Amino acid sequence: MSEDHNRIDIEHVAHLARLELTDVEKNKFAAQLKDMLAYVAKLGEVDVTGVEPTAHAIPLTNVLRPDESRPSIDPVLILKNAPETARGLIIMPKIVE
Amino acid sequence: MAQRKAGAVNYEAVIGLEVHVQLKTQSKLFCGCATEFGVEPNTRVCPICLGYPGVLPVMNAEAIRKTILSGLMIGCKITRFSKWDRKNYFYPDMPKNYQISQYDLPLCLGGAVQIPGKTLGVTRIHLEEDVAKSFHFDTTSGVDFNRAGTPLMEIVSEPDMRSSEDAFAYLTALKEILITGGVSDCDMEKGQLRCDCNVSVRPVGQAKFGEKVEIKNMNSISGVKRALEYEIPRQIAALGRGEKIFQETRRWDDEAGKTSVMRTKEYAHDYRYFPEPDLMPVTVSDSLLAEIQQLLPELPEAKRQRFVRQYGLPEYDAGVLVANSTLANFFEKAAGKNPKAVANWMMSVSDITATPIQPVQIGELVAAIDAGQISGKQGKDVFAEMLATGKSPGTIIKEKGLAQVSDTGAIEGFCDQAIAGNPKSVADFKAGNKAALNALVGQVMKLSKGKANPQLVSAILARKL
Amino acid sequence: MSLHTLTISELRDKLQRGEVSVRQLTQALLDRIQAVDGKLKAYLWLNPDDALRQADAADLTKPLGGIPVAIKDVLNVTGQPCTCASKILQGHISVYDATAIRKLRDAGAILLGRTNMDEFAMGSSTENSSWGVTRNPWDLERIPGGSSGGSAAAVAGHEAIAALGSDTGGSIRQPAALTSCVGLKPTYGLVSRYGLVAFASSLDQIGPFTKTVEDAALLLGVIAGHDPLDSTSVPAPVPDYQEKLNAGVKGLRIGLPKEYFIDGMDREVEAAVRAAIRQLESLGAEVVEILLPHTDYAVAVYYLIATAEASANLARFDGVRYGARVRGADVLETYSKTRGAGFGPEVKRRIILGTYALSAGYYDAYYLRAQKVRTLIRRDFEQAFQKCDVIVTPTSPTPAFKIGEKANDPLQMYLSDIFTISVNLAGNCGLSLPCGFTSQPKLPIGLQLIGKAFDESTLLRVAYAYEQSTPWHKERPAL
């Protein structure tokens, strides 16, 4: 793998993950993750021709439930856990498209 | 008619539609919360559809069946091994900040929707969970998670549409098919059917597609048409001015009648799709397919052909009557011995199912006219009264005393009176002027206050003279 | 007789014979916690009144009737705070019971309290807890292992008769080895994950910490079984794990993977494990050499798959619907500040790595490739199990290290999971039990047994035979 692959664009990835990092964290993580990427590069040695990726540990299919409704949870519990509520809604800063 | 030219160049529009349809199931896709519209916010929720820590999804079997049925109704190939994927992005209406959807092995592939004169291709149908609903205030937004987790079908069309009319017809036909199949009520006002457009323009004859623009926020099928009627000329005009069209997302404002930029391509999401580890794949067996095929309803096109065949209706009439299933059902209930007459009465108003008139009542009206109980002209008055009051023809005929007098004795009497009172007409008729009979018939009608059966009158007069 | 030092079996006996009451037992544990937890810091949350109320309502006719069990802070228990040792869940109260918890209640167990862990189960030392580190009962300057360090310390320190933990890459087995108790990771799909706060969905399992193998068999039997709320749980009947416990090891083949006896392993650990293998041979087992050729890639595979899944599983912690919110000027800032402030460095590190492994342009090279190598690791185990019934390895290459010793080298920390990680990737069951101690200082050494998928019975049988022929399970820390 090229040198390029060993450098994570921390700012971009932190944005994808919605993580605010301090400059100290950005530098520290960039270095540590560079080491980790160098380590996982060894997977490039393995011959995976014709090998299917493991999708699930156990080969089950058609795990379905009948279409039956059951009572929902008491909204009081939900609203109590939410940091900010008003008129039964969970409030956030204004969502701007 | 949308602008098609810019300078010397003729442009054509290329349109694809992404339609999201809420399935008419009892419970949500992954939990047992009821799928109910219009209740108090956050009262149809549970830890699962709220994305609480530690919860897991379990797939609703009926949602799978309805999706397969939808695919069969529009001629899709049903994927025999289908799987689920996580679509990752952050948004307040996303409880887990990933949506469980389908990426590379959706339940249905291919398919098409017929509109008059064209076949419009469908690329795929997949099943996913719906997001919550947000309400926007001055400085905050409020989220109601009742809708979160509702089963949602995403139907992606091929870019086969070339005009706003095509798009309108596609949506109308698709909606009708889904309603007929009992898959969804498709009420756009309730958010049960939502549509995004992808539209680009290119010079006629060019194979390469132009840059496509995504349009969001159309709240009705006619809104989609209006949005396209704005956007297509906008793009053409821009190209005509030498500007470039960039891939972007635009928001339709129905009140202002225009689209405006929402986000550009730079902010396009990296969804980081990967297979959903919490859900097992679905394999569709021959027997399941056969079982669902049994549930296939008669689709609008097939119904139209049957109406022509079974009821002897002209193509046009059949087309009008199958426009929606309520209308079609109304017709079949009313049809009786004279389907054409029933059809005529139904088509004389814009939507008979929105009136108080019942199918059986149309049947009674037609029967009364055919039996000679009332005249065709009287029938029009009765119909008007039916529209206004919802009363049955029988009741109206009785109340207004409209029943044609077919009592020959009475008619004989009126005829004698008319003959006696109109010697000139009598003489004219006897001299060979057949038309003079009409004057005498008219007299008898006057004498009978319009109630005499005109055919009988003619016959009796003719006999007497 | 110190009640708190007894096992489930011993206590069931005494309780049913009326020698001891449930209240006495529960009070004894509360007293013990009061006496030592100030030093051990195994517990994050304890409600003595609630525990005693449960004790008074205990039903001795049930399989775990009256037995106090500690719960790792990663499991939902209605009405209890569930923080996963993270600031981002500070103040969050569970609104439902995990299925495993419901099963514990139905079996009559007493939910004693909530134990410390590495934040969101990410770690091998419990140093990543937002609420401080738990100490090893055998040496208070050392880690108890992780991520289920609190549960291990509580059982090893006799602050609970048993405990539940979770294992994604060794988080039950490794702490069990480092604290000298029995820790079992069930086959993936045996125990329902509903209510377990997810770290890596395709690897996580809930499992027991106990003082003896027999206790582990009992506790496993209570929590195992198909759950309609977990689509990944297997619809198969649960065997009686205690049935063949003392069938011995004669005729069983023990597989020794040569890849697991590496340089860099502590000499005493290696010696203790080899002695254990000889012990099993003397009990009648046949030792066969097996190969697990892709062992060397397991850590890399794990740290791509687990972090990728975790990056999605932890996306829900955004301060919108629950947990601690840090308000920003807009939605984006609220998310970023909430998560920036709420997650510790190890969690952030893994989220970044996982997000990267899934991101556009890198998915094929990282995530997809890792899943393919995972298939090869699974095949290794399938092939190995054609030649043997149980595989034996050390659980951890070293005994408990000192607190802070590996704090600045996350990669080194990851490499210490080398022996346990493959078992999660393959989905098999694994167990660690005590097999000796290092000399100076006296630190526990664990033996790992790996079993065929859904063959916990054989795993427990081999473990029982070894345990009963050795003195390790009777040792107590000087605490």
Side-chain angles (χ1 to χ4, degrees):
Chain A
M1 298 198 177
S2 72
E3 176 57 39
D4 215 26
H5 280 253
N6 288 349
R7 241 194 59 244
I8 292 187
D9 180 351
I10 290 282
E11 303 247 354
H12 174 64
V13 179
H15 173 70
L16 284 178
R18 302 297 186 267
L19 282 176
E20 184 181 84
L21 301 176
T22 63
D23 286 335
V24 170
E25 283 175 318
K26 281 182 201 166
N27 291 329
K28 192 163 75 148
F29 290 161
Q32 288 169 337
L33 288 164
K34 179 168 178 238
D35 291 342
M36 284 171 198
L37 284 185
Y39 179 74
V40 301
K42 66 159 72 181
L43 292 184
E45 296 161 13
V46 184
D47 181 6
V48 292
T49 331
V51 180
E52 284 299 301
T54 293
H56 294 98
I58 30 175
L60 293 174
T61 58
N62 296 341
V63 181
L64 307 170
R65 68 178 173 86
D67 182 27
E68 284 157 7
S69 70
R70 38 165 196 73
S72 291
I73 198 169
D74 184 350
V76 167
L77 290 173
I78 299 308
L79 297 173
K80 209 162 66 165
N81 266 330
E84 197 179 333
T85 64
R87 322 177 216 193
L89 299 168
I90 292 181
I91 300 294
M92 279 294 276
K94 183 154 183 179
I95 302 166
V96 176
E97 300 280 9
Chain B
M1 177 60 118
Q3 177 188 339
R4 288 281 179 263
K5 259 178 112 94
V9 184
N10 263 321
Y11 283 92
E12 71 169 353
V14 174
I15 302 162
L17 296 180
E18 247 174 55
V19 175
H20 285 92
V21 180
Q22 280 185 347
L23 295 181
K24 200 167 148 175
T25 54
Q26 298 297 319
S27 61
K28 292 187 179 181
L29 191 57
F30 300 126
C31 66
C33 288
T35 51
E36 241 180 288
F37 181 82
V39 291
E40 288 299 298
N42 293 310
T43 54
R44 296 295 181 270
V45 296
C46 74
I48 298 169
C49 55
L50 280 169
Y52 261 49
V55 297
L56 294 171
V58 184
M59 181 63 68
N60 183 328
E62 185 58 26
I64 303 267
R65 293 169 68 97
K66 283 186 153 53
T67 306
I68 294 175
L69 180 65
S70 303
L72 290 174
M73 287 196 294
I74 64 171
C76 297
K77 187 165 176 312
I78 306 302
T79 308
R80 298 309 204 105
F81 181 90
S82 187
K83 63 187 257 290
W84 314 97
D85 300 285
R86 291 190 184 177
K87 181 178 180 182
N88 299 282
Y89 67 101
F90 284 79
Y91 212 67
D93 63 8
M94 298 264 292
K96 300 184 289 297
N97 288 318
Y98 62 84
Q99 182 191 35
I100 300 179
S101 178
Q102 299 192 284
Y103 181 53
D104 56 325
L105 289 176
L107 277 167
C108 312
L109 284 169
V113 171
Q114 289 291 130
I115 63 171
K118 277 192 199 186
T119 302
L120 298 171
V122 167
T123 313
R124 53 183 273 159
I125 305 180
H126 73 251
L127 181 57
E128 62 187 18
E129 50 177 342
D130 204 351
V131 300
K133 188 139 174 44
S134 312
F135 298 89
H136 306 293
F137 312 112
D138 278 338
T139 54
T140 59
S141 296
V143 189
D144 171 13
F145 290 88
N146 285 349
R147 190 175 79 177
T150 304
L152 201 66
M153 254 186 345
E154 181 173 322
I155 306 176
V156 181
S157 83
E158 290 285 318
D160 286 353
M161 287 158 256
R162 295 287 175 268
S163 66
S164 61
E165 287 83 13
D166 281 353
F168 187 88
Y170 172 88
L171 289 170
T172 308
L174 182 60
K175 179 176 162 175
E176 201 33 50
I177 290 167
L178 295 173
I179 291 175
T180 305
V183 158
S184 172
D185 290 336
C186 294
D187 186 339
M188 283 186 84
E189 270 172 39
K190 292 184 180 168
Q192 293 168 352
L193 188 146
R194 309 186 311 248
C195 178
D196 295 332
C197 292
N198 284 307
V199 51
S200 64
V201 298
R202 65 182 171 188
V204 173
Q206 179 180 294
K208 187 165 178 285
F209 288 158
E211 282 300 327
K212 71 177 173 196
V213 171
E214 186 188 19
I215 316 280
K216 287 172 120 46
N217 198 46
M218 294 146 301
N219 298 324
S220 63
I221 297 182
S222 51
V224 172
K225 186 160 183 279
R226 285 192 289 277
L228 288 167
E229 278 162 5
Y230 170 85
E231 180 62 17
I232 295 167
R234 185 196 73 81
Q235 289 190 20
I236 293 172
L239 290 172
R241 289 191 299 271
E243 290 164 24
K244 276 188 80 177
I245 303 289
F246 294 102
Q247 241 190 61
E248 62 190 11
T249 302
R250 297 178 74 90
R251 190 174 184 281
W252 168 246
D253 182 339
D254 209 33
E255 249 184 68
K258 58 194 207 32
T259 63
S260 48
V261 181
M262 251 174 79
R263 57 175 177 261
T264 60
K265 192 180 171 198
E266 271 80 57
Y267 294 101
H269 295 288
D270 175 2
Y271 292 121
R272 306 187 294 289
Y273 283 101
F274 71 98
E276 171 57 76
D278 291 333
L279 287 174
M280 292 306 172
V282 162
T283 55
V284 180
S285 63
D286 287 342
S287 60
L288 177 63
L289 262 186
E291 198 191 308
I292 297 176
Q293 246 142 9
Q294 297 288 6
L295 301 171
L296 278 172
E298 184 185 40
L299 293 177
E301 181 51 29
K303 194 185 291 270
R304 194 186 60 74
Q305 291 173 12
R306 178 169 66 83
F307 276 18
V308 169
R309 225 176 36 241
Q310 182 179 337
Y311 298 104
L313 290 178
E315 296 260 351
Y316 176 79
D317 293 25
V320 171
L321 293 172
V322 302
N324 67 66
S325 44
T326 358
L327 202 59
N329 291 343
F330 187 108
F331 171 75
E332 295 212 82
K333 285 208 189 94
K337 296 203 177 86
N338 193 349
K340 179 75 179 102
V342 168
N344 288 342
W345 285 113
M346 287 178 64
M347 294 191 299
S348 73
V349 292
S350 62
D351 182 4
I352 201 154
T353 65
T355 71
I357 299 179
Q358 298 301 305
V360 65
Q361 291 167 339
I362 299 283
E364 281 171 17
L365 176 63
V366 167
I369 295 169
D370 287 348
Q373 196 191 3
I374 53 173
S375 66
K377 185 174 178 302
Q378 285 174 311
K380 288 203 171 96
D381 297 332
V382 172
F383 185 72
E385 190 69 13
M386 282 161 71
L387 270 176
T389 64
K391 290 188 185 157
S392 76
T395 308
I396 296 169
I397 289 171
K398 216 162 159 192
E399 278 175 3
K400 291 196 186 281
L402 292 176
Q404 283 188 142
V405 177
S406 297
D407 168 9
T408 43
I411 295 182
E412 297 253 353
F414 291 134
C415 286
D416 291 337
Q417 271 187 275
I419 290 171
N422 295 281
K424 185 172 188 309
S425 302
V426 172
D428 286 345
F429 179 73
K430 285 197 166 155
N433 185 355
K434 300 274 191 246
L437 190 69
N438 291 337
L440 287 168
V441 171
Q443 286 302 307
V444 174
M445 295 306 288
K446 235 164 81 180
L447 285 168
S448 72
K449 295 194 178 53
K451 288 193 197 162
N453 181 328
Q455 283 105 314
L456 255 186
V457 171
S458 293
I460 292 172
L461 280 171
R463 185 173 33 84
K464 285 183 185 288
L465 295 170
Chain C
M1 167 196 60
S2 313
L3 288 177
H4 59 278
T5 63
L6 299 179
T7 66
I8 298 178
S9 310
E10 289 165 342
L11 285 165
R12 290 283 301 150
D13 204 43
K14 289 193 190 301
L15 286 167
Q16 272 162 337
R17 284 199 269 119
E19 274 177 41
V20 132
S21 74
V22 180
R23 182 168 255 263
Q24 273 177 296
L25 169 59
T26 307
Q27 190 59 60
L29 283 163
L30 291 171
D31 291 343
R32 172 70 174 171
I33 293 168
Q34 176 86 344
V36 305
D37 208 58
K39 284 182 279 191
L40 264 191
K41 301 188 194 300
Y43 280 88
L44 288 178
W45 182 90
L46 196 63
N47 185 334
D49 289 337
D50 175 64
L52 290 170
R53 250 196 315 272
Q54 290 180 61
D56 290 340
D59 180 351
L60 292 178
T61 65
K62 297 199 171 141
L64 280 179
I67 302 296
V69 178
I71 308 295
K72 184 178 181 182
D73 193 29
V74 75
L75 288 163
N76 277 274
V77 180
T78 311
Q80 292 188 1
C82 180
T83 73
C84 304
S86 179
K87 290 199 195 117
I88 213 169
L89 278 178
Q90 193 158 23
H92 178 69
I93 308 290
S94 293
V95 298
Y96 71 99
D97 275 350
T99 297
I101 296 296
R102 187 180 49 78
K103 285 179 182 256
L104 274 189
R105 286 198 210 263
D106 289 349
I110 291 167
L111 303 177
L112 187 53
R114 303 181 69 82
T115 57
N116 201 12
M117 54 184 280
D118 281 299
E119 188 182 357
F120 287 113
M122 297 182 183
S124 311
S125 64
T126 308
E127 291 174 293
N128 295 326
S129 168
S130 298
W131 316 128
V133 70
T134 298
R135 280 131 201 287
N136 194 316
W138 297 87
D139 181 335
L140 297 175
E141 302 303 305
R142 293 179 188 258
I143 55 144
S147 63
S148 312
S151 284
V155 170
H158 300 282
E159 293 183 292
I161 304 304
L164 285 189
S166 69
D167 189 313
T168 305
S171 291
I172 289 177
R173 291 160 287 153
Q174 184 253 32
L178 267 46
T179 57
S180 196
C181 51
V182 177
L184 188 151
K185 182 202 90 72
T187 308
Y188 184 88
L190 181 67
V191 177
S192 167
R193 292 183 299 118
Y194 186 75
L196 168 66
V197 181
F199 161 12
S201 313
S202 74
L203 304 171
D204 294 341
Q205 272 291 282
I206 300 170
F209 281 95
T210 55
K211 301 177 191 181
T212 62
V213 173
E214 185 180 11
D215 281 2
L218 206 172
L219 191 37
L220 180 65
V222 166
I223 61 175
H226 178 248
D227 182 13
L229 291 172
D230 177 356
S231 305
T232 62
S233 90
V234 166
V238 177
D240 178 352
Y241 294 116
Q242 296 169 281
E243 209 188 354
K244 295 218 184 69
L245 212 49
N246 51 13
V249 297
K250 277 207 180 61
L252 287 182
R253 300 158 302 165
I254 311 285
L256 274 199
K258 79 181 226 304
E259 294 86 358
Y260 280 56
F261 289 85
I262 50 172
D263 296 333
M265 200 172 21
D266 181 287
R267 288 266 150 74
E268 291 186 87
V269 168
E270 184 172 356
V273 170
R274 289 205 184 277
I277 292 163
R278 285 193 300 274
Q279 178 71 7
L280 282 167
E281 273 183 297
S282 75
L283 290 170
E286 184 198 335
V287 170
V288 297
E289 201 186 67
I290 55 156
L291 295 171
L292 295 172
H294 294 90
T295 297
D296 203 33
Y297 301 108
V299 172
V301 169
Y302 175 84
Y303 278 98
L304 288 174
I305 295 175
T307 58
E309 291 180 2
S311 71
N313 286 328
L314 268 59
R316 67 192 65 197
F317 301 108
D318 58 6
V320 174
R321 291 142 289 120
Y322 47 79
R325 181 193 291 191
V326 176
R327 268 167 198 71
D330 55 25
V331 169
L332 173 60
E333 240 192 38
T334 301
Y335 282 153
S336 300
K337 284 190 186 305
T338 295
R339 291 160 63 80
F343 287 139
E346 183 58 38
V347 171
K348 284 188 211 176
R349 216 175 350 252
R350 296 194 192 198
I351 290 176
I352 291 173
L353 181 54
T355 305
Y356 182 75
L358 291 172
S359 63
Y362 298 110
Y363 176 89
D364 283 1
Y366 292 112
Y367 181 80
L368 188 62
R369 178 164 271 271
Q371 288 286 25
K372 290 181 179 178
V373 179
R374 181 181 179 178
T375 301
L376 295 175
I377 292 172
R378 283 176 57 208
R379 284 189 200 164
D380 281 359
F381 277 90
E382 281 162 20
Q383 271 154 20
F385 278 116
Q386 282 168 11
K387 295 210 192 115
C388 66
D389 303 298
V390 148
I391 295 172
V392 165
T393 79
T395 309
S396 165
T398 61
F401 49 83
K402 283 201 197 281
I403 292 167
E405 200 179 306
K406 296 201 183 163
N408 286 322
D409 197 342
L411 187 56
Q412 268 310 302
M413 189 79 87
Y414 297 166
L415 289 169
S416 65
D417 293 331
I418 183 79
F419 297 142
T420 50
I421 254 177
S422 295
V423 184
N424 300 80
L425 293 172
N428 292 63
C429 53
L431 176 157
S432 178
L433 77 162
C435 71
F437 292 84
T438 58
S439 42
Q440 260 154 14
K442 181 178 178 183
L443 298 172
I445 297 169
L447 181 73
Q448 178 177 233
L449 301 173
I450 304 171
K452 289 184 199 170
F454 302 104
D455 190 17
E456 279 80 356
S457 296
T458 304
L459 197 66
L460 290 160
R461 171 180 160 190
V462 173
Y464 187 79
Y466 175 76
E467 177 196 65
Q468 291 299 302
S469 71
T470 56
W472 318 120
H473 60 290
K474 295 208 190 358
E475 297 257 4
R476 299 199 203 303
L479 192 61

